């Protein structure tokens, strides 16, 4: 009778969570190396010891796997579209009639 109340779960780690972690790691790698201009070895140390708590070797493997695949989406996530109004920032503003 207890058997029908026991859920059978997949063994191992959740693949969706692993994928999200890998994408987050790639975004942080891009942030530290490209935006903050931190050296490669220092970036690995920060990601390993302060942010993701996995070995530097594993971080390198993840970056090799997915960084080239999702580089464009990572760059786009850090770029923000300016919200400019053309009348405010034109070189020759039109004079208002009074």
């Amino acid at each position: 009778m207890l058997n029908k109340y026991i859920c059978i779960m997949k063994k191992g780690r959740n693949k969706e969570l692993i994928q999200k972690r890998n994408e987050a790691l790639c975004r942080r790698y891009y942030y530290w190396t490209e935006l903050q201009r931190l050296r490669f070895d220092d970036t690995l140390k920060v990601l390993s010891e302060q942010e993701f708590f996995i070995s530097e070797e594993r971080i390198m493997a993840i970056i090799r796997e997915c960084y080239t695949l999702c580089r464009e989406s990572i760059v786009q996530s850090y770029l923000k579209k300016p919200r400019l109004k053309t009348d405010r920032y034109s070189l020759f503003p039109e004079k208002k009639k009074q």
Side-chain angles (χ1 to χ4, degrees):
M1 189 158 257
L2 290 175
N3 287 342
K4 77 173 154 179
Y5 295 110
I6 296 175
C7 295
I8 299 175
M9 297 185 72
K10 295 179 186 177
K11 292 183 180 183
R13 304 258 335 258
N14 185 334
K15 293 182 188 212
E16 290 177 25
L17 293 178
I18 292 172
Q19 183 63 30
K20 287 180 181 180
R21 183 219 42 210
N22 292 350
E23 289 172 5
L25 191 141
C26 288
R27 280 194 302 274
R28 294 302 291 167
Y29 176 79
Y30 177 82
Y31 170 79
W32 285 114
T33 57
E34 301 298 325
L35 300 179
Q36 294 297 317
R37 310 300 292 168
L38 194 63
R39 282 184 0 189
F40 173 75
D41 57 332
D42 292 334
T43 298
L44 285 179
K45 192 171 195 171
V46 167
L47 293 174
S48 176
E49 295 176 1
Q50 296 176 10
E51 294 188 5
F52 290 93
F53 311 106
I54 55 178
S55 70
E56 292 181 13
E57 292 82 17
R58 183 64 191 137
I59 290 172
M60 279 307 306
I62 292 168
I63 290 170
R64 275 189 230 110
E65 286 175 14
C66 74
Y67 187 69
T68 55
L69 298 175
C70 58
R71 179 170 167 74
E72 290 179 18
S73 65
I74 292 169
V75 172
Q76 291 300 321
S77 69
Y78 280 103
L79 296 177
K80 295 183 179 178
K81 295 179 183 176
R83 297 181 183 172
L84 302 176
K85 294 184 178 180
T86 56
D87 60 338
R88 278 187 172 171
Y89 299 101
S90 64
L91 291 175
F92 304 104
E94 294 180 20
K95 293 181 181 177
K96 292 185 180 180
K97 295 179 182 178
Q98 292 183 0

